[in-house]
């Protein structure tokens, strides 16, 4: 009975991200003073006198306590194993600090390499060269941390931007999702990829990566092992895409608006979209995030459509209860609502001087959530499961579909955000 009552009061990861994001904003408005640690250094003297100064070490400790408390609270309200998070988070934090030191070096910054890239690479090195216990891997929260950061991102995006870019982003998303999903489905069938993998892979490439793969797996009651393969493919291909696509856009002379739309419509994980947009600039970050949100909005509708298709085409599920419109709301990414609400509140209800006074602190907190998330993504990603012989066809199909996605989305983004804008 007690367990039933506890479960009743648990929140989903999306709702928890919204609640914690709002809590951080309220605390900041109420006067929370959380100075951001400095990781900028040019030589050994800077490292000793600035980064390792007593005041900065104190700020690093305060940051740890703040993020640790929210990570534990998130685990508590989502029903996750608190003891696992309590033990793994300090490791994630230390790795993120090391990556921040690397990203803060002036010689690195001149190359336009952001901290999140070092967080990702350091996590990948640890994950693939050190055997991590199962409890450690299960306690990681990359998507959760990204969602909290994205709720906070709403404060820096005024609602007129959402209306302007969102309408174009929604048009782009509809065109991209339909064309890429169909192409991916056709390619998987040509390569004789099994039905479950075909559905998950097509959704992941065309809609929004990991979230779409998970939603599709739930809609068709898919094999968790196959889902793991698709998720791993999404995470690994996101790494080179988030690094090289901004560079390619620069070489092509694309504007930040077109680049942001291209990144947001192509890269399959929200965190990687944020990281790649950050590499280009503030405008690209906003556009890429809004375009990605436009695709996220379609997730619930897509999951519903897929579940209807699967129910009526698969004999083994014909006798089960047919899907209802309730599925749309269940699959809808609630953290998108959090982002929009924050943007609405700070666009129309909060005085501009208050917004300007708290924006720097919230932006630093938001950025560190992204850094923690990318350390976790690296720690969650294994190369071993991806390149096995049994997964060769899904890998080739995924790469082929992603290649088509990159080209068609660039054309659509160029037309919508360049020519018709």
């Amino acid at each position: 009975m007690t367990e039933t009552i506890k479960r009743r009061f648990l929140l989903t990861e999306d709702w928890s991200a919204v609640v914690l994001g709002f809590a951080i904003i309220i605390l900041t408005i109420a006067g929370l003073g959380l100075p951001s640690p400095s990781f900028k250094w040019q030589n050994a003297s800077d490292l000793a006198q600035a980064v390792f100064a007593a005041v900065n070490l104190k700020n690093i400790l305060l940051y740890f306590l703040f993020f640790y408390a929210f990570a534990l609270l998130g685990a508590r309200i989502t029903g996750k194993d608190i003891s696992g998070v309590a033990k793994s988070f300090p490791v994630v934090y230390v790795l993120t600090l090391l990556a921040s030191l690397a990203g803060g070096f002036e010689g690195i910054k001149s190359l336009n390499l952001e901290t999140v890239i070092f967080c990702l690479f350091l996590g990948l090195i640890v994950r693939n060269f050190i055997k991590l216990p199962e409890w450690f891997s299960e306690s990681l929260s990359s998507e959760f941390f990204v969602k909290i950061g994205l709720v906070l991102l709403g404060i820096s995006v005024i609602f007129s931007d959402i209306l302007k870019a969102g309408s174009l982003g929604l048009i782009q998303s509809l065109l991209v999702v339909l064309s890429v999903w169909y192409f991916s489905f056709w390619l998987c069938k040509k390569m004789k990829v099994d039905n479950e993998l075909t559905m998950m892979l097509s959704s992941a490439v065309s809609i929004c990566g990991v979230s779409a793969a998970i939603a599709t797996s739930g809609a068709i009651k898919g094999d968790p092992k196959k889902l793991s393969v698709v998720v791993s493919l999404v995470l690994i291909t996101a790494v080179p895409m988030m690094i090289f696509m901004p560079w390619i856009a620069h070489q092509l002379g694309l504007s930040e608006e077109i680049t942001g739309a291209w990144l947001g419509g192509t890269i399959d994980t929200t965190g990687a979209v944020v990281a790649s947009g950050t590499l280009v600039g503030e405008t690209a970050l906003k556009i890429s995030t809004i375009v990605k949100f436009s695709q996220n909005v379609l997730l619930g509708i897509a999951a519903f459509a897929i579940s209807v298709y699967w129910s009526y085409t698969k004999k083994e599920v014909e006798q089960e209860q047919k899907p209802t419109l309730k599925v749309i709301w269940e699959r809808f990414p609630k953290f998108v609502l959090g982002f929009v609400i924050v943007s609405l509140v700070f666009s129309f209800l909060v005085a501009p001087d208050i917004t300007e006074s708290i924006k720097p602190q919230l932006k630093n907190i938001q950025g560190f959530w992204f850094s923690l998330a990318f350390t976790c993504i690296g720690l969650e990603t294994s190369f071993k499961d991806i390149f096995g012989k049994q997964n060769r066809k899904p890998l080739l199909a995924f790469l082929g579909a992603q290649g088509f996605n990159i080209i068609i989305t660039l054309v659509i983004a160029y037309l919508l955000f360049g020519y018709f804008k």
Side-chain angles (χ1 to χ4, degrees):
M1 183 63 121
T2 305
E3 286 298 317
T4 303
I5 295 174
K6 284 182 179 179
R7 284 196 296 271
R8 190 174 298 169
F9 288 99
L10 295 177
L11 297 176
T12 63
E13 185 177 274
D14 274 18
W15 278 125
S16 299
V18 173
V19 169
L20 295 185
F22 285 3
I24 292 171
I25 292 171
I26 291 170
L27 285 173
T28 304
I29 294 175
L32 172 69
L34 190 67
S36 175
S38 174
F39 298 103
K40 295 180 181 178
W41 60 287
Q42 193 168 3
N43 48 48
S45 177
D46 288 343
L47 200 58
Q49 296 177 14
V51 178
F52 292 135
V55 174
N56 202 53
L57 290 176
K58 178 186 175 184
N59 293 341
I60 290 174
L61 177 60
L62 288 175
Y63 245 47
F64 170 73
L65 295 175
F66 177 84
F67 285 93
Y68 196 28
F70 273 90
L72 291 174
L73 182 58
R76 175 68 184 84
I77 63 179
T78 56
K80 204 168 184 176
D81 179 23
I82 295 180
S83 62
V85 174
K87 290 183 288 186
S88 66
F89 185 86
V91 177
V92 173
Y93 188 81
V94 170
L95 291 174
T96 304
L97 288 183
L98 294 174
S100 299
L101 278 176
F105 178 53
E106 191 64 33
I108 295 294
K109 279 197 168 295
S110 63
L111 299 175
N112 260 345
L113 296 178
E114 295 291 326
T115 296
V116 287
I117 294 178
F118 292 96
C119 291
L120 182 65
F121 284 165
L122 190 54
L124 283 169
I125 291 169
V126 172
R127 172 66 177 87
N128 289 279
F129 292 95
I130 299 175
K131 185 174 177 58
L132 299 174
E134 188 174 343
W135 65 263
F136 185 93
S137 300
E138 291 175 351
S139 68
L140 297 173
S141 307
S142 59
E143 287 289 318
F144 184 51
F145 293 165
V146 166
K147 289 170 183 177
I148 296 175
L150 288 171
V151 171
L152 298 179
L153 182 63
I155 193 176
S156 62
V157 181
I158 60 174
F159 198 66
S160 58
D161 290 340
I162 296 179
L163 291 176
K164 188 175 182 181
S167 58
L168 292 176
L170 189 57
I171 294 171
Q172 174 180 307
S173 297
L174 286 168
L175 294 173
V176 168
V177 168
L178 290 173
S179 58
V180 175
W181 198 95
Y182 181 80
F183 179 85
S184 178
F185 185 86
W186 171 82
L187 184 61
C188 286
K189 289 298 183 183
K190 283 289 183 182
M191 300 186 69
K192 294 182 169 46
V193 176
D194 73 70
N195 290 333
E196 285 187 12
L197 267 173
T198 294
M199 299 299 287
M200 293 183 214
L201 193 150
S202 299
S203 298
V205 174
S206 62
I207 308 174
C208 53
V210 173
S211 298
I214 293 172
T216 302
S217 179
I220 67 175
K221 302 185 186 303
D223 184 344
K225 292 182 180 178
K226 295 176 182 178
L227 173 62
S228 178
V229 170
V230 175
V231 168
S232 298
L233 284 170
V234 168
L235 292 175
I236 285 183
T237 53
V239 176
M241 287 175 68
M242 64 178 272
I243 295 172
F244 291 111
M245 285 182 66
W247 178 82
I248 293 172
H250 177 72
Q251 297 301 310
L252 293 175
L254 302 180
S255 68
E256 283 200 28
E257 288 85 355
I258 296 173
T259 302
W262 187 34
L263 298 175
T266 306
I267 300 176
D268 290 322
T269 68
T270 305
V273 167
V274 171
S276 59
T278 302
L279 294 178
V280 180
E282 190 71 24
T283 300
L285 173 60
K286 290 180 181 180
I287 297 296
S288 64
T289 302
I290 292 168
V291 168
K292 179 52 66 178
F293 279 171
S294 298
Q295 286 186 251
N296 285 342
V297 167
L298 297 176
L299 176 56
I301 300 171
F304 175 73
I306 288 168
S307 60
V308 170
Y309 169 81
W310 197 259
S311 294
Y312 285 94
T313 57
K314 294 297 168 185
K315 292 181 180 179
E316 60 266 27
V317 294
E318 276 182 359
Q319 302 305 316
E320 295 185 14
Q321 185 178 0
K322 301 303 179 185
T324 68
L325 290 173
K326 185 180 177 183
V327 174
I328 295 179
W329 174 248
E330 290 175 348
R331 301 300 184 191
F332 188 89
K334 310 303 188 299
F335 67 93
V336 174
L337 291 180
F339 170 86
V340 173
I341 291 171
V342 170
S343 178
L344 278 170
V345 168
F346 282 91
S347 294
F348 303 112
L349 301 180
V350 178
D353 58 329
I354 295 177
T355 301
E356 290 304 313
S357 66
I358 66 173
K359 187 184 289 187
Q361 178 172 302
L362 285 175
K363 188 172 181 179
N364 288 331
I365 293 173
Q366 164 214 310
F368 205 79
W369 278 120
F370 291 151
S371 295
L372 291 168
F374 265 80
T375 302
C376 290
I377 289 174
L379 291 168
E380 290 169 345
T381 307
S382 172
F383 296 123
K384 184 178 179 181
D385 298 332
I386 302 304
F387 300 107
K389 187 177 292 186
Q390 72 278 11
N391 293 324
R392 187 170 297 169
K393 285 184 179 179
L395 172 61
L396 293 175
F398 184 89
L399 293 176
Q402 193 62 274
F404 177 80
N405 185 19
I406 289 171
I407 295 170
I408 194 69
T409 304
L410 175 59
V411 173
I412 294 172
Y414 184 83
L415 291 174
L416 289 176
F417 287 85
Y419 185 76
F420 291 118
K421 184 180 175 182

